[in-house]
Amino acid sequence: MTRDLSNAHPPAMPASRRAFMLGVGASLGALALGGEAVAQVAKQRFEAWVVAFQPRARAKGISDGVYERVMGGLRPDISVYAKDSAQPEFREQLWQYLNRRISDWRLITGRAAAKEKAALMKRLQKDFGVEPDVLLGLWGMESAFGELVLDEDHMKPVFPALAALAWGEPRRRTYWETELVNALAIVQRGWARPDQMLGSWAGAMGHTQWMPEVWLNLGVDYDGDGAPSPYSVPDALAGSSLYLIKRGKYQRGVPWGFEVRMDGVPDKYADAKAWRTVADWAKLGVTPAGGGRFAFPKARTRLWAPVGPEGPCFLLTQNFYAVRSYNPSMNYALAVCHLGDRVLGGDPFITPFPGGERPLTLAEIQDVQRRLTRAGFDTGGVDGRVGNMTMRAVAGFQRKMGVAPDGYASLEVLAALRGR
């Protein structure tokens, strides 16, 4: 059974940590054709480019022996150019985005992982000060608590992908060239063999999806085996803790934020821009969503109403923005933080999203996948996890229903499938 793990990553990614999502234009479409088309767009054949790039790698400290070992005879993975355009272009509302990522499947998987790694989480918290909820949320979002790392169909050799991008992706060529050199440096340090470096189509590796630059500069040998590795759970979570601290300015002992109500507070304040203490926000009329008094009255926060004051609203601390430094998307950061809370037993948001609905249960998602498969739509399996293949299948069924194909496995889709 093929696991539908193809949408483990949210859409936005920073250059400092992992690959940009490519907006491949028409000029790159020819690259997927191979042969002469590749030579025309890339201006020189791949073999000639490998020879021409070696002095640049040498200038960055890469030995000729390592370069020739890795790059000699390497074939570029030109499928990377089509990966972004192959992603479904679904526009999810925030409640859909959260429902799909904080699903029964992911919560069940995450709670088992949290129980298994409880001692590790306690040690990481002591050594780095990053709370377990944030680390569990990152791990769950980036690799579904390691499920993606084990998926051989998804994980591909990194060097053919990075070399293809450095050779033939013109808009961010400098970035890809740098990451290719970083990957070569990892091999040169003896931290991994080239064949061990498997990752996403854009080169992000391991449990928390490090790009080579992060592995090289923020990798932590937390399991004590002599080298940092994103494929080691302790190393991955320790390295990501260091990332949050050094690049996200994570603050020990402070939560990521609070759900609040802003009844009577002017909407203009909820733009997630102005920093005020929790106590000062309370003076303006912001109150805890669940009643009572605020904890951490001196914490500096921003007020955010992602869908307006009628939906869930939040006071966000610096630690929310530390998570956002991992991926510059507010929705991503909220999903990471809320996923971590839920894995550790926290409740759903108190205020419902306008127009939203509850997520389908694990059994209901499996029923959707089973019925879609019977109807001739490929979901990639019946595992209760909604990735890109299931979304495409849902969208195909919605088209047959005559409704807008948003790809979301909703209660309406389930009812329609059961009514067939």
Side-chain angles (χ1 to χ4, degrees), residues 126-145:
K126 178 178 179 293
D127 289 346
F128 294 94
V130 179
E131 296 294 324
D133 60 336
V134 169
L135 291 180
L136 287 165
L138 279 177
W139 189 17
M141 283 287 284
E142 293 298 333
S143 71
F145 304 100

Side-chain angles (χ1 to χ4, degrees), residues 22-46 49 78 80-82 163-173 177:
L22 300 177
V24 182
S27 64
L28 284 179
L31 285 166
L33 302 177
E36 293 303 317
V38 172
Q40 290 171 16
V41 178
K43 297 183 178 179
Q44 63 183 147
R45 299 192 66 83
F46 180 74
W49 175 84
I78 61 174
V80 296
Y81 304 124
L165 291 163
W167 165 55
E169 206 287 285
R171 292 186 303 152
R172 300 186 178 97
R173 182 167 289 155
E177 289 174 346

Side-chain angles (χ1 to χ4, degrees), residues 205-223:
M205 295 171 279
H207 287 271
T208 48
Q209 291 291 276
W210 295 352
M211 285 301 288
E213 185 274 331
V214 173
W215 188 347
L216 200 63
N217 295 310
L218 295 173
V220 178
D221 178 19
Y222 203 63
D223 61 13

Side-chain angles (χ1 to χ4, degrees), residues 5-6 20 38 118 121 140 177 225 228 263 321 357 416:
L5 294 169
S6 52
F20 289 101
V38 172
M121 292 294 172
E177 289 174 346
D225 70 351
D263 300 332
Y321 292 94
E357 64 178 41

